[in-house]
Amino acid sequence: MNKFMIVPVIGVSALTLAACDSAATKADAAKANPITEAEVEAAQIAWGEGIVAIGQVFTEEGDYSGRAAEHIATHYAYGDDATILFKPTLASEDQFRETSEEALSYFVGTEGTEDGGFAIAPYSAVRWENNGTVIDEDGDMAVAMGNYFFTGSDGNETKVEYSFAYEKDDAGDLKIVLHHSSLPFSPN
């Protein structure tokens, strides 16, 4: 009977060591290549340019859904076994977007839902004003908060409040794991 007890213990120990080794490897990679504030700012600029590009493709009657899907795959960690926390600005019925399909619906719209296609507005620019960026001590996650401004085709800006959290994927690219945005409070 002791022989049978030893085998499962050895198996569990091996799995535990493998899991610890994997976590240690990821932590070592983050320490070797920690997220920087400059990388966060570059990711923000690229995200804004992507939103402008989606609207431009829509205006030119191109494959705006394909462009939006590419944007989501480039900037969000969907499909990387990460939990994505996405609460878009213009969502009240389906507040949280746990899948890339739900995010796509928000960006380009889906008939019969509240999603009118945020990214197809179109916008001519997105400007960021970070209130601050916090990078954890291991350098494997960064959180930024502030305001971003969407310039419409009429030249007017819409101010939106945001919080984004980023992690690096296996290729070293920043991916959004938390995106929360809202319109500023109005006392009226």
Side-chain angles (χ1 to χ4, degrees):
M1 181 130 181
N2 284 342
K3 290 181 182 177
F4 293 111
M5 295 299 283
I6 292 171
V7 172
V9 170
I10 291 171
V12 170
S13 297
L15 288 174
T16 302
L17 288 173
C20 289
D21 187 44
S22 175
T25 302
K26 185 173 181 178
D28 290 342
K31 286 179 184 176
N33 188 18
I35 296 172
T36 66
E37 194 166 336
E39 287 177 305
V40 170
E41 291 171 359
Q44 291 173 330
I45 290 167
W47 184 91
E49 290 171 348
I51 295 299
V52 170
I54 294 166
Q56 184 175 14
V57 172
F58 174 77
T59 301
E60 295 169 355
E61 299 180 6
D63 181 11
Y64 62 93
S65 290
R67 179 63 185 93
E70 177 185 323
H71 177 80
I72 292 165
T74 299
H75 296 287
Y76 293 82
Y78 292 112
D80 290 345
D81 292 329
T83 299
I84 309 304
L85 305 174
F86 181 14
K87 190 324 190 166
T89 308
L90 305 174
S92 63
E93 294 169 18
D94 184 9
Q95 290 178 275
F96 307 106
R97 307 305 171 99
E98 292 92 5
T99 68
S100 58
E101 293 79 16
E102 290 173 324
L104 181 63
S105 177
Y106 178 71
F107 282 114
V108 300
T110 299
E111 192 171 325
T113 72
E114 70 182 323
D115 295 335
F118 154 74
I120 62 174
Y123 300 103
S124 60
V126 179
R127 180 173 61 85
W128 298 77
E129 287 183 359
N130 289 331
N131 181 62
T133 301
V134 176
I135 300 171
D136 75 349
E137 65 184 43
D138 293 331
D140 61 356
M141 179 179 273
V143 180
M145 177 185 281
N147 298 308
Y148 47 2
F149 300 82
F150 296 86
T151 305
S153 55
D154 61 0
N156 291 324
E157 283 189 329
T158 300
K159 176 182 172 181
V160 180
E161 302 162 339
Y162 76 87
S163 298
F164 277 40
Y166 302 89
E167 290 181 349
K168 284 191 176 180
D169 65 8
D170 292 339
D173 298 319
L174 288 190
K175 297 285 187 168
I176 298 166
V177 294
L178 176 137
H179 172 168
H180 180 276
S181 56
S182 57
L183 293 171
F185 171 73
S186 176
N188 297 330

